[in-house]
Amino acid sequence: MILAAGRGTRMGGLTDGRPKPLLSLGEESLLERHIRRLAVAGFRDIVINVSYAAAQIQEAIGTGERWNLSIRYSVEGEPPLETGGGIVNALPLLGAEPFVVVNADVLTDFDFAGLRLDAGLGLLVLVANPAHNTAGDFGVDARSRIVSSPSVGATSVATLTFAGISVLDPALFAGLAPGRRQQLKPILDSGIARGELYGFRYDGFWIDVGTPERLAIARAKARDLG
């Protein structure tokens, strides 16, 4: 699943009438790059949630023939259902097995082919804290790979930033009703409190493309990443 429903208000005029996932990195958009790299990694079924300017995304991306895969859309209407609510709403399209979730607005050289959920209800990819998130989000024990959260209790390891890349089991969302706005972090914290989430640190390239300044960096770097 690619999360692509956000409005991208921090982008200012760049997203007036245009959804952030369709912002160009050069020859392709943020969203197109993710789809291409997921296809190369072997994925054949993708769900994209859409809200703001949904029709533009559906028209630009289509049903996946370009990448030799199938794309379906979870249309939320407006306002969007936030990250957690968007996933819950899309569960009927995602099936009963664990699924990969990727934020549309990140640029990375992470190889999606290696993502597997071997234990628990979720696997989170974490990165070094960027300047805009110095406090981090979660901790992870280097040996056990069990994830901790300051929101749940004291963590004995340094916190890292959630990369917006994960593998999640549908059971993590059991009992949550669709159609409600809710963030993903409280859902993850609930799994962490039960000792059901694992993770690891990734030290390759990653950037949250959340501002015009970071978009400029991403555009310059995308040429090198391929």
Side-chain angles (χ1 to χ4, degrees):
M1 180 174 186
I2 304 177
L3 298 175
R7 189 176 183 91
T9 54
R10 290 178 297 167
M11 285 292 184
L14 291 173
T15 52
D16 284 347
R18 184 173 184 82
K20 181 165 65 170
L22 293 185
L23 290 176
S24 172
L25 291 172
E27 295 183 356
E28 58 190 355
S29 66
L30 284 161
L31 186 52
E32 287 170 326
R33 185 177 189 276
H34 278 314
I35 296 169
R36 172 175 61 80
R37 298 187 71 250
L38 286 166
V40 169
F43 290 84
R44 290 295 172 259
D45 294 282
I46 293 178
V47 173
I48 302 173
N49 70 325
V50 290
S51 173
Y52 174 62
Q56 282 190 44
I57 293 178
Q58 290 172 290
E59 182 178 354
I61 300 302
T63 56
E65 292 91 342
R66 256 188 291 168
W67 301 276
N68 193 32
L69 48 71
S70 170
I71 294 176
R72 292 177 292 170
Y73 297 90
S74 177
V75 182
E76 299 178 5
E78 293 210 45
L81 298 174
E82 306 291 354
T83 48
I87 295 172
V88 172
N89 207 56
L91 287 176
L93 299 175
L94 293 166
E97 298 299 318
F99 50 88
V100 170
V101 181
V102 183
N103 287 3
D105 58 353
V106 299
L107 176 71
T108 181
D109 59 1
F110 182 82
D111 184 1
F112 299 113
L115 280 174
R116 297 288 186 276
L117 182 59
D118 297 321
L121 296 183
L123 177 70
L124 308 184
V125 179
L126 306 173
V127 296
N129 296 330
H132 58 85
N133 190 44
T134 55
D137 302 308
F138 303 108
V140 62
D141 185 276
R143 295 184 63 184
S144 69
R145 301 209 305 172
I146 294 175
V147 173
S148 56
S149 171
S151 302
V152 175
T155 175
S156 60
V157 293
T159 54
L160 299 167
T161 290
F162 178 40
I165 304 170
S166 59
V167 187
L168 303 177
D169 191 301
L172 182 65
F173 304 91
L176 298 178
R180 293 174 48 200
R181 299 186 72 192
Q182 48 192 324
Q183 290 286 346
L184 179 59
K185 190 174 188 305
I187 300 172
L188 297 179
D189 281 341
S190 178
I192 289 169
R194 301 191 301 269
E196 296 174 332
L197 291 194
Y198 294 79
F200 62 92
R201 174 172 173 154
Y202 178 66
D203 287 316
F205 182 81
W206 176 92
I207 186 172
D208 172 1
V209 189
T211 64
E213 293 76 19
R214 280 182 252 150
L215 176 61
I217 295 171
R219 283 172 168 167
K221 186 66 177 181
R223 292 192 292 267
D224 299 326
L225 295 179

